[in-house]
Amino acid sequence: MPLLKSLFGNKPPEPEPEPEPEPPPQTSLLDRLKLGIRKTRAGLMEAIDDTIHGKKQIDADLLEELEYALISADIGVKTSTEVLERIRQRVDRKLVNDSAELKGLIREHLLEVLQGADRPMQRAAEPPTVILMVGVNGVGKTTTIGKLANHFKSSGHSVLLCAADTFRAAAIEQLEVWGNRTQIEVIRQQQGSDPSAVLFDALNAAKARKFGYVIVDTAGRLHTKANLMLELEKMRRTAQRVIPDAPHEVLLVMDATTGQNGLEQARKFTESSGVTGIVLTKLDGTAKGGVVVAIARELALPIRFVGVGEQLDDLLPFDPEKFVFSLFE
Amino acid sequence: MFENLSEKLQRALKSLRGEGKLTAENMEAGLREIRVALLEADVHFKVVKQLIDGIKEKALGQEVLTALSPGQQVVKILRDEMVKILGTHQSKLRMANEPPTVIFMVGLQGSGKTTSTAKLAKWLVKNGRTPVLVSVDVYRPAARQQLAVLARDLKIPVFAGPEGENRPLELARGARREAMQTGRDTVMVDTAGRLHIDDELMAELSELKDALTPAEILFVADAMTGQDAVKSADEFHKRLGITGIVLTKMDGDARGGAALSIRQVTGQPLKFVGTGEKPDALEPFHPERVVSRILGMGDVLSLIEKVEENIDQKKAEEMQRKLLEDDFTLSDFRDQLTQLRKIGSLESLMEMMPKVGIFKELQKQKVDEKELTRVVAIIDSMTPRERANHMIINGSRRRRIAKGSGTTVQDVNNLLKQYGEARKMMKSISGGLMGMGAGGGKLGAMLGKRMGKFKMPPFPGKW
């Protein structure tokens, strides 16, 4: 890549844009989660509150509006219908009289779905624990990796990053900036090199030097591209050659703005790379990311973390109870 | 994977066959299916409601046509309504009276602004314009480098700004100055991704807009966006007055219902569609095609256009003559495969097919691009005489060919068998298509080849 070399050789590295916003207040995890998904709540719960406060009686109109509230959170027609069906039955049997009870019922059901999929993060018996990050283009994989690395590091683990997105222009540099910010080493090769080769190097290094975690960045790829999905399968096999039970976690990074296509993404990535969990990013916007409920319901994939901003510590472990609680407070 | 909506409607409206008129009652099941299909395609629920009401109004009391089944009839009304929302014409880019024309690319994080900027720049060059690019994304690590690398590959100048310059406004101004000095007629400004509720960053955009008075502010939106599309698009439009929409990642299997929502809430036209990661994977927007896609009916028009764009006319005509005269040799077969590869990946082609009938079956099979390479390798390992007349390829020749192409005799046998079948198939198809005029014939021939090739399961096992 003489072209790239000359480009990066002649140019001094991008001056690192220092995050200058006010220091994040020391607040409890719950508060931060609430803060992060404030808008989520505002959307969904406002809609439900509006419908409930406006009407005392539970009638077809109210149920329809509730359904729209759920759908507008991207929870999906199927899951929404299921929730509503349950309520409808109870209403028919006169088990629910008060529209305020509806909230509790919806919460209960969503919680049930999310908890049903929950399971603890896998860790290697013998370090390193290898975490493969996958996802479609533009969901925030690299940013999430920076934050995730910081998360492990600040809880006392040694972390190694692996720049296996060798496809997108400047992806390696982007990961390196995060490496600098977090003071974490990045194993890299040239743009355009074989991602499996980078992975092989990184895992060997991590094994030899006994790192606690290796987090592997991969190129964003649409789940419909068979060749690129095969590449992920190859990366899995490569990882297994170095560390037989690797990767220990395969995290699918998903943008909270994603609609119903998220389900198909989860399905296809699970088929090819054995996804073990979801990281839901960009929850600091107005998008609700409700499609993860559908994913938990249909594929039993747990949500591991949520991204709520662009700062290093804007990644929070996902807790179904707190999540639903924050939604329904 | 997605069931065609009209198939679903067919079932839902089957009972209508005997009835003379569409009524609220007999349409209800069908409308429910439409509603679910649109919501699953991520069309905003309010837009869905409008559409359903529109259909009800239009369809009520209509005679059940004999030519169309009731399902088709309702789908037709729905299609027309959706096309109406999306606008019937594809839009052009607005250019400033006084050069340079400034174009802003704005949107949420990860929607594909930088990639789209590069693609659009390439498109502009193809259309005789001389763009200069500038990234004012001073926030995301290596964002400016990303644009620089893409532009470098396309040989399009990028304004990098003076050493250490980190102010978006200064960068954008500098780019415009540079365009004026170097006589370039378009400045494309790649802005940082931002949340529509981020007041500070949205204010930054307004400031940029005031200073540079862009002729176009293109809102770049991900085709996979769900219900939230309405909120972000609305906010961007309110604060900036966007002038057009670029819908990205349409090469995936998202239905792209967000297109309808964004168009509806902003009233601004969709101008381009991103269909891949390569710099030329950008197409002008065609409402009918996106509607077909949202309804799960395939995008045959785009396919035809792609085929026409990439197929050598003369060669195609020559090929057709050969087919008719039964003169279609293995080297022609190879040429055809090579031409086919120029059109795009097999996957992207298959994605455009309607998800019905034979195509549905084909789409289920994993298409292996390497298969084509191997077929070409096998043919390359033949002598000219063998290519001209496959009948002379006996056992020992087959062994030699297999050795030469790094395959097995079985593979060579397979190829020859497929070639034979393809010949037969093409003959019948091209015969039937001759009446359709050159375009249809060509496409027919291409598709014929396709089907001929795929009629049998793709090479089993090791292929």
Side-chain angles (χ1 to χ4, degrees), chain B residues 136 159 161-162 165-175 177 208:
Chain B
V136 298
F159 179 75
E165 180 57 78
N166 258 336
R167 290 166 298 174
L169 189 57
E170 288 315 308
L171 286 165
R173 276 193 178 133
R177 244 190 332 267
L208 278 170

Side-chain angles (χ1 to χ4, degrees), chain A residues 137 223-224 257 282 286 288, chain B residues 109 196 226 231 249 253 347:
Chain A
N137 316 64
H223 50 288
T224 50
T257 60
K282 308 186 198 176
T286 51
K288 299 155 186 81
Chain B
Q109 289 99 333
H196 47 291
K231 281 196 204 115
K249 304 180 203 173
D253 58 2
E347 279 165 65

Side-chain angles (χ1 to χ4, degrees), chain A residues 138-153:
Chain A
V139 288
K141 278 181 297 302
T142 310
T143 307
T144 301
I145 289 169
K147 296 192 260 186
L148 192 59
N150 183 61
H151 166 84
F152 286 129
K153 194 183 173 189

Side-chain angles (χ1 to χ4, degrees), chain A residues 157 177 270 275 304:
Chain A
H157 300 283
V177 173
T270 304
V275 173
R304 295 278 187 231

Side-chain angles (χ1 to χ4, degrees), chain B residues 313-326:
Chain B
Q313 296 276 342
K314 272 203 193 120
K315 266 197 178 165
E317 274 157 34
E318 170 75 7
M319 209 65 82
Q320 198 149 27
R321 187 190 58 75
K322 284 187 166 167
L323 283 174
L324 283 176
E325 292 167 11
D326 203 11

Side-chain angles (χ1 to χ4, degrees), chain A residues 240-287:
Chain A
Q240 278 155 6
R241 281 222 311 276
V242 186
I243 299 165
D245 55 346
H248 307 90
E249 283 279 335
V250 179
L251 298 183
L252 175 67
V253 183
M254 191 172 288
D255 187 328
T257 60
T258 310
Q260 296 313 297
N261 191 248
L263 197 54
E264 211 45 44
Q265 284 176 26
R267 221 172 253 145
K268 289 279 165 60
F269 273 100
T270 304
E271 273 169 27
S272 70
S273 53
V275 173
T276 59
I278 309 272
V279 179
L280 191 62
T281 60
K282 308 186 198 176
L283 257 187
D284 46 335
T286 51

